[in-house]
Amino acid sequence: MVNKKKIFKTLGLAMAATVLMVTPAVAQITSYHFELDMEYGNEEHTGLVTKDNNNSYAYITVDDGNVISTDEFFMSVNGPYFYNYNYTGKVRISNSQAEYTPPYNQPEKPQMGNNYRLRGVTEKLNVWAEGEWES
């Protein structure tokens, strides 16, 4: 006869061990919410966030918005206002529900512990986008 208590206890311990091993890897990256609402020809920036990893790319997840494939809407990871260096180049955003992982492909790379911001630019129509990003 199978001892159900022993099986559930073993499964519980295995799940707890897995969570403890996985959690530190997930906790290294912090997500920041963004909302950009722009009129044609304008740009907006998020507030500054501190880069908390050494990844060579950013994560941008657009959860909602009115962005479609014919819009000319771009995002980039930039430095603070006094040093507005563009680290990713122009990343075309063509969908209001998509994930983008642009590499830091410019000669200068972002450094862990420094501050960066997400920049949105619309070159055609009014757009708005909302989501999460990680530098």
Side-chain angles (χ1 to χ4, degrees):
M1 182 169 201
V2 177
N3 186 343
K4 289 183 183 180
K5 267 188 172 178
K6 191 172 185 177
I7 290 173
F8 286 122
K9 185 177 179 181
T10 304
L11 286 174
L13 289 172
M15 287 175 54
T18 302
V19 168
L20 290 174
M21 290 169 43
V22 171
T23 301
V26 173
Q28 290 178 341
I29 298 174
T30 305
S31 290
Y32 300 96
H33 182 76
F34 70 85
E35 293 181 31
L36 300 172
D37 189 2
M38 293 165 279
E39 294 181 6
Y40 161 72
N42 288 340
E43 67 179 65
E44 279 191 24
H45 293 87
T46 63
L48 290 174
V49 299
T50 302
K51 182 168 176 57
D52 60 359
N53 60 64
N54 285 315
N55 292 347
S56 59
Y57 46 86
Y59 301 92
I60 303 170
T61 302
V62 180
D63 296 332
D64 199 3
N66 67 349
V67 180
I68 58 173
S69 61
T70 57
D71 289 334
E72 291 183 22
F73 177 55
F74 303 92
M75 287 184 167
S76 60
V77 174
N78 288 41
Y81 69 93
F82 58 85
Y83 187 63
N84 195 27
Y85 188 84
N86 180 338
Y87 294 93
T88 57
K90 291 169 71 171
V91 179
R92 187 178 190 129
I93 307 298
S94 58
N95 193 326
S96 62
Q97 292 185 332
E99 293 182 10
Y100 304 88
T101 53
Y104 296 124
N105 57 8
Q106 303 303 313
E108 188 174 325
K109 308 296 183 209
Q111 303 295 312
M112 188 167 94
N114 290 343
N115 293 322
Y116 304 94
R117 58 194 178 145
L118 187 64
R119 175 181 182 243
V121 177
T122 177
E123 297 178 357
K124 190 173 182 182
L125 300 170
N126 298 354
V127 299
W128 69 276
E130 183 176 338
E132 303 291 322
W133 78 286
E134 302 159 0
S135 63

